[in-house]
Amino acid sequence: MAELLRVTALSAGYGDLRVIRDLSLSLARAEALAVLGRNGVGKTTLVESLVGLTRRFAGTVALDGRDISARPPEARVRAGIGWVPQSRGIFRSLTVRQNLTATARPGPWTLDRVHEMFPRLAERGGHMGDQLSGGEQQMLAIGRAMMLNPSVLLLDEPTEGLAPVIVDRLFAALGQLRQEGVALIVVEQHARGVLDLTDRAVILDRGRIVHEAPSAELRHDTAALEAHLGVASAVLPRGAAAP
């Protein structure tokens, strides 16, 4: 697959604090990458650095062959980066429909297509953002990001605090996005589920990539999971029973 995103020797952080250190990775078109690690290792900082919200000390970020390292967040959105922050970032004083259309950009992802992916958003179209459940808010955050018609979607802890049935629904939607050619970078603390969705996985520690492997391989790599994530046993696919 053709390369879409390339990060080269990136060091970034906040103020004078370097959180990401000499980090390099690449992402192909329609590929899904899991970013794993314990709390405080730099996962969110990596995503925010791709969005353009941190201070860059060194290195480059290139999207579709063009260097976007010096571009502000709004220019990166126009270039094709979509973002679902950990806080979800929905406009609580706007309706669901207004949230979806306020920042929409032309492209194949329209209001009707978002409603097809998340019918619940169509049902709740007139409700305010602060009247939604946590799962509905996450659907709205993903739908709003897709209304920007990105080529790569960054998701920071998208399943945090959600019931398992909602998590399964969200992962099904993300799988649909992959099939339609959208590349994904999914930050998760918990490996279960995200390794079923993604092609590759990287594990961060102290702002560096300390392990990289195909997701299917890492799922059963007990030693790596224990060493880097504190997982006591290999990760099974969702719905599978332990032996």
Side-chain angles (χ1 to χ4, degrees), residues 13-213:
Y14 310 96
D16 293 328
L17 177 64
R18 296 191 185 215
V19 179
I20 298 299
R21 299 175 178 272
D22 196 31
L23 185 149
S24 298
L25 62 80
S26 64
L27 185 73
R29 295 186 183 279
E31 184 181 22
L33 175 72
V35 178
L36 306 173
R38 302 174 192 262
N39 282 332
V41 299
K43 303 187 303 296
T44 292
T45 304
L46 172 59
V47 170
E48 292 185 347
S49 297
L50 299 180
V51 177
L53 297 175
T54 62
R55 177 183 177 186
R56 179 173 58 95
F57 295 96
T60 59
V61 177
L63 182 67
D64 206 14
R66 288 182 285 188
D67 189 343
I68 61 170
S69 307
R71 296 189 187 183
E74 59 272 19
R76 299 190 189 204
V77 168
R78 290 194 297 268
I81 289 184
W83 178 42
V84 179
Q86 189 173 7
S87 64
R88 297 169 187 152
I90 64 172
F91 302 121
R92 297 178 178 272
S93 61
L94 298 182
T95 66
V96 169
R97 179 181 291 270
Q98 289 168 338
N99 265 275
L100 291 171
T101 58
T103 59
R105 291 175 54 80
W109 279 93
T110 63
L111 187 61
D112 287 342
R113 292 202 62 197
V114 170
H115 285 167
E116 288 174 8
M117 184 168 62
F118 295 125
R120 185 63 173 162
L121 297 182
E123 298 170 6
R124 303 280 277 173
H127 288 72
M128 309 303 288
D130 61 3
Q131 296 177 314
L132 304 181
S133 68
E136 290 168 343
Q137 288 182 10
Q138 192 62 277
M139 293 176 194
L140 179 55
I142 294 172
R144 188 182 63 180
M146 290 313 302
M147 292 287 286
L148 294 168
N149 280 280
S151 55
V152 56
L153 181 62
L154 317 177
L155 301 106
D156 192 357
E157 301 280 4
T159 67
E160 184 178 29
L162 301 182
V165 64
I166 301 299
V167 171
D168 288 344
R169 191 175 304 167
L170 289 176
F171 275 128
L174 296 179
Q176 176 185 337
L177 295 182
R178 283 194 59 206
Q179 292 175 2
E180 300 198 20
V182 179
L184 303 174
I185 295 181
V186 187
V187 168
E188 273 288 348
Q189 182 180 355
H190 305 292
R192 180 183 180 274
V194 74
L195 292 177
D196 295 336
L197 171 72
T198 53
D199 302 292
R200 290 188 297 122
V202 296
I203 300 177
L204 298 191
D205 189 20
R206 300 181 184 179
R208 302 177 187 272
I209 294 176
V210 294
H211 189 83
E212 182 172 1

Side-chain angles (χ1 to χ4, degrees), residues 3-21:
E3 184 177 87
L4 175 63
L5 178 73
R6 175 164 291 278
V7 179
T8 305
L10 181 65
S11 292
Y14 310 96
D16 293 328
L17 177 64
R18 296 191 185 215
V19 179
I20 298 299
R21 299 175 178 272

